[in-house]
Amino acid sequence: MIVISEITEKDLHFVRNEIIRMWGADSIVTRGRIWLLNDLPGFVARIKGQPAGIILYNILADDCEILSLHSIIERKGVARSLIDKVKKLATERKCRRIWLITTNDNVQAIRYYLKYGFQLKQVYRNAIEKSRKLKPEIPLLGLNDIPILHELEFELLL
């Protein structure tokens, strides 16, 4: 059984370590903005009391942006449970959409978001060039040795 709870003070060390392991730093850049991920609200998924995933988000006006989604245990419904939790919260807060940015190399995430029901809204060609000026840790090559070049915006209308 997957248990989802809000990130609390006791989770911050774990969250920060996972974010650094995943993103190479405790920040990410989307659409030219730096986000310090430790400062964002989010949820932790647990299976049998052990951390199984993290989702971080930001709600601004009637938009809910997912800034990081990470399953430590894959193919057990962790990512879906975390998105479902954010979707419920966004609906309660009267958001009109949930949106997120991923990069062109993240083929597994692109596939997952499309299966979940997100739609590709926009491709920001060569946006990572600008992002690297804000966060030099962004590697040139990403998953499967695909050059990281573009940001892809996906949205789920509520």
Side-chain angles (χ1 to χ4, degrees):
M1 168 191 261
I2 299 169
V3 176
I4 307 291
S5 59
E6 282 189 54
I7 292 172
T8 64
E9 281 287 323
K10 68 180 179 153
D11 298 314
L12 290 180
H13 180 73
F14 160 74
V15 170
R16 183 174 186 280
N17 286 342
E18 277 301 304
I19 295 302
I20 290 171
R21 188 175 70 77
M22 202 167 72
W23 297 109
D26 62 355
S27 65
I28 63 168
V29 176
T30 63
R31 302 302 312 126
R33 180 173 178 180
I34 296 176
W35 296 94
L36 297 177
L37 299 180
N38 248 7
D39 297 337
L40 292 167
F43 298 100
V44 174
R46 289 183 175 79
I47 297 176
K48 296 181 182 177
Q50 296 301 312
I54 303 165
I55 193 166
L56 302 173
Y57 66 91
N58 184 56
I59 294 177
L60 184 61
D62 61 355
D63 276 355
C64 177
E65 181 180 6
I66 293 174
L67 291 153
S68 183
L69 173 63
H70 176 57
S71 293
I72 297 163
I73 299 172
E74 295 188 2
R75 303 198 192 301
K76 298 290 183 192
V78 172
R80 176 165 290 279
S81 296
L82 288 164
I83 294 173
D84 287 349
K85 183 71 171 179
V86 169
K87 183 179 177 184
K88 182 177 187 276
L89 177 72
T91 301
E92 289 169 358
R93 295 211 185 156
K94 309 271 191 262
C95 292
R96 67 180 177 85
R97 73 180 186 138
I98 299 172
W99 67 285
L100 57 90
I101 296 288
T102 193
T103 51
N104 62 284
D105 68 305
N106 200 345
V107 178
Q108 183 177 348
I110 293 166
R111 179 179 175 272
Y112 182 81
Y113 296 133
L114 290 170
K115 282 182 71 174
Y116 187 94
F118 283 82
Q119 298 292 313
L120 178 63
K121 181 173 186 224
Q122 181 81 33
V123 175
Y124 301 99
R125 293 180 52 81
N126 300 311
I128 300 304
E129 190 176 308
K130 180 179 178 185
S131 295
R132 281 193 185 96
K133 291 176 182 168
L134 299 171
K135 185 181 170 187
E137 299 91 346
I138 298 172
L140 295 174
L141 295 177
L143 301 170
N144 302 306
D145 292 325
I146 297 171
I148 304 173
L149 303 169
H150 316 297
E151 290 183 344
L152 286 67
E153 180 179 338
F154 288 88
E155 72 175 359
L156 180 68
L157 299 177
L158 301 175

